[in-house]
């Protein structure tokens, strides 16, 4: 049995009394270590296959005692300089053995790990070899981690896929021969009959698909059955519905776009032009509505400008002298307020009074009398200071 080397305090310049506390701190660890040595020697005598669990547990115990010894070492060395040298020696007499023992234990553990990997590789190699009968390549599949039940189920799926593919391959070889013939009648009905019928169904299905995707032009084949004729008629109805929806959506888009231009940039507005086909009446109603809205908008902007005499329009901006009042598309009552602020004083007041105008020519006698009074009121208002 390996024994710990005794350490004399006097070898480190310490009295026995001075070193007693340090020695006492390590004494319990010496007892624990001696117990570990007995277990360690037992593990070394065991068969490698049987020693794994004991080696794992014992290594944890060595790590634990190593940790506690390091803690003692640090605590004691912080307080004593010479004691630190003594503590180093105490530590090292353990550590040299612990390191060696850990190394031995690692060899046992490593052996089992390598053995396990070898067993898994052997299982994987055998399974890949078996799967490659049904697959082009199975190397990307982790089969070693599968349980036997899972692997067998997986193998059965791949086997069934391979068998189905082989059956389809044989069927396709027969059908390929049919494709090479100009007519189906050249083949023996007993040998090729089912495949000929299958081919006829394929041709019919492909024609139905072509009709389902039809958008115009020549189909490239005759509508020689009621099923094909009905599918074609149904597709024409769908296409007409798509066309009608497109026309209505475009009319709505042009209407919304025109309103946005009228409200935000009327100087660039033009009535939209669109071929509405059978919806011409609806389109003309929309255009009339757009035109009505644009006229009202222009009249409103004009009415604002009439209340701001001496202004000019340049690059879509309204100017009073060299001052910009606003953009032509942003004319509002607020623009008149800003205009009057720029004018200031009596002139602003006179312009405001003169901005009031009566409607067009009035023939009615009573209305003419009211208009005279209205003009007299304006003259009076201009005398107010």
């Amino acid at each position: 049995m390996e024994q710990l080397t005794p350490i004399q305090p006097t070898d480190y310049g310490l009295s026995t009394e001075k070193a007693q506390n340090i020695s006492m701190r390590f004494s319990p660890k010496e007892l624990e270590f001696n117990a570990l040595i007995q277990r360690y020697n037992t593990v070394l005598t065991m068969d490698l296959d049987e020693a794994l669990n004991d080696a794992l547990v014992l290594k944890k115990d060595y790590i634990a005692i190593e940790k506690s010894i390091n803690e003692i070492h640090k605590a004691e060395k912080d307080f004593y300089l010479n004691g630190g040298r003594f503590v180093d020696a105490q530590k090292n007499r353990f550590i040299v053995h612990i390191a060696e023992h850990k190394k031995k234990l690692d060899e046992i553990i490593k052996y089992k790990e390598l053995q396990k990997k070898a067993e898994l590789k052997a299982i994987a190699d055998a399974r890949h070899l078996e799967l490659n009968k049904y697959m082009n390549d199975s190397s990307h599949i982790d089969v070693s981690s599968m349980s036997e039940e899972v692997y067998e189920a997986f193998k059965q799926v791949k086997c069934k896929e391979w068998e189905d593919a082989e059956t389809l391959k044989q069927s396709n070889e027969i059908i390929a021969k049919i494709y090479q013939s100009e007519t189906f009648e050249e083949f023996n009905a007993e040998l090729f009959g089912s495949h000929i019928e299958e081919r006829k169904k394929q041709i019919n299905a492909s024609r139905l698909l072509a009709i389902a995707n039809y958008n115009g032009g020549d189909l490239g084949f005759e509508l020689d059955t009621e099923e094909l004729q009905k599918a074609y008629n149904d597709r024409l109805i769908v296409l007409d519905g798509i066309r009608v929806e497109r026309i209505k959506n475009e009319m709505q888009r042009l209407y919304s776009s025109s309103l946005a231009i009228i409200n935000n940039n009327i100087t660039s507005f033009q009535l939209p032009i669109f071929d509405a086909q059978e919806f011409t009446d609806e389109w003309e109603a929309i255009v009339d509505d757009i035109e009505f809205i644009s006229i009202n908008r222009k009249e409103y902007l004009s009415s604002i400008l009439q209340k701001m005499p001496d202004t000019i329009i340049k690059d879509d901006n309204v100017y009073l002298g060299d001052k910009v009042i606003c953009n032509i598309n942003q004319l509002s009552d607020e623009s008149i307020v800003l205009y009057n602020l720029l004018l200031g004083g009596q002139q602003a007041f006179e312009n405001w009074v003169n901005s009031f105008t009566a409607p067009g020519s009035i023939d009615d006698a009573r209305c003419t009398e009211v208009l005279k009074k209205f003009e007299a009121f304006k003259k009076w208002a201009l005398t107010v200071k």
Side-chain angles (χ1 to χ4, degrees), residues 128-258:
H128 282 307
L129 185 63
E130 191 172 32
L131 286 175
N132 286 341
K133 297 176 183 177
Y134 315 115
M135 301 174 62
N136 291 331
D137 181 23
S138 63
S139 60
H140 61 287
I141 303 172
D142 179 15
V143 293
S144 64
S145 62
M146 294 181 183
S147 66
E148 189 63 27
E149 292 78 7
V150 171
Y151 168 71
E152 284 298 326
F154 179 76
K155 183 181 71 173
Q156 290 303 319
V157 169
K158 293 302 175 183
C159 179
K160 182 65 168 59
E161 289 177 354
W162 178 82
E163 290 173 350
D164 290 345
E166 285 296 306
T167 300
L168 179 62
K169 179 181 177 182
Q170 294 173 5
S171 177
N172 286 341
E173 289 175 352
I174 295 174
I175 294 174
K177 293 180 180 179
I178 296 174
Y179 288 165
Q180 295 169 5
S181 173
E182 294 181 0
T183 64
F184 296 126
E185 288 73 15
E186 295 181 12
F187 294 90
N188 182 297
E190 294 181 1
L191 180 60
F192 299 107
S194 62
H195 293 288
I196 291 173
E197 291 303 315
E198 180 182 350
R199 173 59 179 152
K200 289 179 178 178
K201 291 178 182 179
Q202 288 178 350
I203 292 174
N204 188 59
S206 66
R207 290 180 175 179
L208 288 172
L209 180 61
I211 291 173
N213 295 326
Y214 175 73
N215 287 313
D218 183 12
L219 278 169
F221 54 85
E222 297 294 329
L223 302 174
D224 50 9
T225 67
E226 291 184 4
E227 182 183 19
L228 292 177
Q229 185 66 57
K230 181 180 182 304
Y232 181 69
N233 292 339
D234 290 343
R235 180 58 180 170
L236 292 182
I237 292 173
V238 170
L239 288 178
D240 189 62
I242 294 173
R243 180 188 64 83
V244 168
E245 187 69 18
R246 180 190 63 79
I247 291 173
K248 291 184 176 181
N249 288 341
E250 183 62 11
M251 288 195 299
Q252 182 59 44
R253 187 193 69 79
L254 290 171
Y255 178 76
S256 300
S257 176
S258 296

Side-chain angles (χ1 to χ4, degrees), residues 63 69 73 112 134 147 170 193 204 218-219 297 308 349:
I63 291 172
I69 290 169
H73 166 258
K112 293 304 296 181
Y134 315 115
S147 66
Q170 294 173 5
N204 188 59
D218 183 12
L219 278 169
R297 177 64 176 167
M308 297 190 301
F349 177 72

Side-chain angles (χ1 to χ4, degrees), residues 48-49 52 56 105-123:
L48 290 178
D49 290 332
L52 175 61
L56 289 170
L105 294 172
D106 281 338
E107 291 176 0
I108 295 173
I109 295 169
K110 189 66 175 177
Y111 167 77
K112 293 304 296 181
E113 290 178 351
L114 292 175
Q115 189 178 54
K116 182 64 176 177
K117 287 182 179 179
E119 291 173 356
L120 291 176
K121 185 177 184 304
I123 292 173

Side-chain angles (χ1 to χ4, degrees), residues 7 19 44-45 66 71-72 78 80 90 117 132 161 196 200 213 220 232 245 247 265 269 299 306 318 350 359 364 382:
I7 297 177
L44 292 184
T45 62
E66 180 181 30
E71 290 172 353
I72 295 172
D78 287 342
Y80 305 99
Q90 289 283 10
K117 287 182 179 179
N132 286 341
E161 289 177 354
I196 291 173
K200 289 179 178 178
N213 295 326
Y232 181 69
E245 187 69 18
I247 291 173
N265 190 17
F269 172 71
E299 288 178 350
Q306 287 176 5
V318 180
E350 291 179 5
D364 186 90
L382 291 175

Side-chain angles (χ1 to χ4, degrees), residues 5 114 339:
T5 305
L114 292 175
Y339 166 79

Side-chain angles (χ1 to χ4, degrees), residues 6-24 82-83 85-87 89-90:
I7 297 177
Q8 299 301 325
T10 54
D11 294 342
Y12 297 90
L14 296 175
S15 65
T16 302
E17 184 181 41
K18 195 73 172 176
Q20 186 174 5
N21 288 337
I22 299 174
S23 297
M24 287 178 65
N82 287 331
R85 294 170 57 205
F86 179 69
V87 171
Q90 289 283 10

Side-chain angles (χ1 to χ4, degrees), residues 280-292:
T280 300
D281 291 343
E282 290 90 333
W283 174 242
E284 289 179 352
I286 289 175
V287 172
D288 289 343
D289 187 45
I290 293 173
E291 186 173 22
F292 176 76

